[in-house]
Amino acid sequence: MAESDVKVVLVPGAWADGSSWSKVINGLQTKAISTVTVPVPLTTLTDDIAAVDRTLERVDGPVVLVGHAYAGAVIGAVRNPRIKALVYVAALAPDEGETVADVFYQNEPHPKAPKLGPDQHGLIWLPQEAFGAAFAQNASAQELAVLAAVQRPISPACISVPVGRPLWKDVPSWYLLAEQDHMIVAETQRFMSERMKAQVSVHPVDHTPSVTAPDRVVDLILQAVREVRD
């Protein structure tokens, strides 16, 4: 199987959109790897899983499915036999019967983590100042401006529903552990990645390395692509 035959599907997490993967997409394109992002609605976990399924209908061949942050729960809940590997980027990985909130709040939050709660419409937005303090503190001012401008709110319905048997129990998984993460503390990431028996890559990066350390993310995805190819 040629490396280019393996497709990479990228799923953004809460408060982000497909543009958060732009540097990773460029890096994968230099390796001739076809890549698409999933426009998740962030309305319910079921809706987000369905959005991944619709995207997979547009993609042929074996897939490496990649999720950032909240999207770790989404990629673990997809059931498509063409998914041959999962890559978690500072991502949440609830086990069967757990909710996203269960693992997100497992440990004490970082002192710079924002206080989150729904607005009058029942949507959770990331406070403006949190982008530079916790979401991507290593980003440039220009990158932070874009992240804040395109942010998409998440519904509590995404994080309060227990998940079924996660796919990481059935396919090989990789995990980028972000040591400088102010949103999901490294201790929580370490617990999840070890429980998954994932191949872990630890880096001194923030919560959104797809923006601030894209080469690290590309390298990890390529490891998964090569294993699927071989």
Side-chain angles (χ1 to χ4, degrees):
M1 182 186 299
E3 190 168 357
S4 59
D5 291 337
V6 180
K7 307 300 193 301
V8 173
V9 175
L10 305 166
V11 189
W15 308 298
D17 69 0
S19 66
S20 64
W21 293 108
S22 58
K23 294 180 183 179
V24 173
I25 294 168
N26 290 337
L28 293 171
Q29 282 184 334
T30 65
K31 302 295 185 181
I33 296 174
S34 176
T35 308
V36 297
T37 67
V38 177
V40 285
L42 300 177
T43 46
T44 68
L45 181 60
T46 299
D47 290 345
D48 295 338
I49 296 165
V52 176
D53 287 335
R54 289 192 296 271
T55 299
L56 291 174
E57 290 176 5
R58 301 168 40 228
V59 176
D60 296 325
V63 169
V64 172
L65 189 59
V66 185
H68 171 237
Y70 156 72
V74 179
I75 66 174
V78 178
R79 295 290 179 270
N80 187 305
R82 290 190 295 110
I83 300 170
K84 302 302 182 184
L86 299 174
V87 178
Y88 289 74
V89 179
L92 294 163
D95 201 349
E96 186 170 4
E98 294 178 340
T99 68
V100 173
D102 288 337
V103 285
F104 184 76
Y105 292 110
Q106 176 170 320
N107 291 294
E108 280 293 311
H110 191 277
K112 293 188 177 181
K115 289 181 170 55
L116 300 171
D119 65 8
Q120 61 182 339
H121 303 290
L123 299 173
I124 302 171
W125 294 84
L126 196 65
Q128 185 83 9
E129 64 275 9
F131 283 96
F135 194 76
Q137 71 269 19
N138 297 333
S140 68
Q142 183 179 22
E143 289 165 343
L144 288 171
V146 171
L147 286 169
V150 304
Q151 82 148 305
R152 302 174 64 246
I154 186 170
S155 166
C158 295
I159 64 174
S160 58
V161 178
V163 303
R165 178 184 172 87
L167 189 58
W168 48 260
K169 292 188 174 182
D170 302 311
V171 302
S173 302
W174 283 256
Y175 196 105
L176 190 153
L177 196 161
E179 291 182 302
Q180 297 175 1
D181 198 322
H182 293 174
M183 295 292 294
I184 304 170
V185 293
E187 182 182 3
T188 298
Q189 294 183 42
R190 188 166 288 107
F191 164 77
M192 292 184 295
S193 59
E194 290 177 354
R195 178 173 68 174
M196 295 164 63
K197 297 181 173 56
Q199 298 187 45
V200 182
S201 182
V202 182
H203 298 289
V205 298
D206 63 21
H207 179 65
T208 314
S210 58
V211 173
T212 59
D215 290 348
R216 304 289 195 186
V217 180
V218 170
D219 287 346
L220 192 64
I221 294 171
L222 287 175
Q223 289 180 33
V225 168
R226 290 181 183 122
E227 183 153 321
V228 172
R229 176 199 61 190
D230 293 341

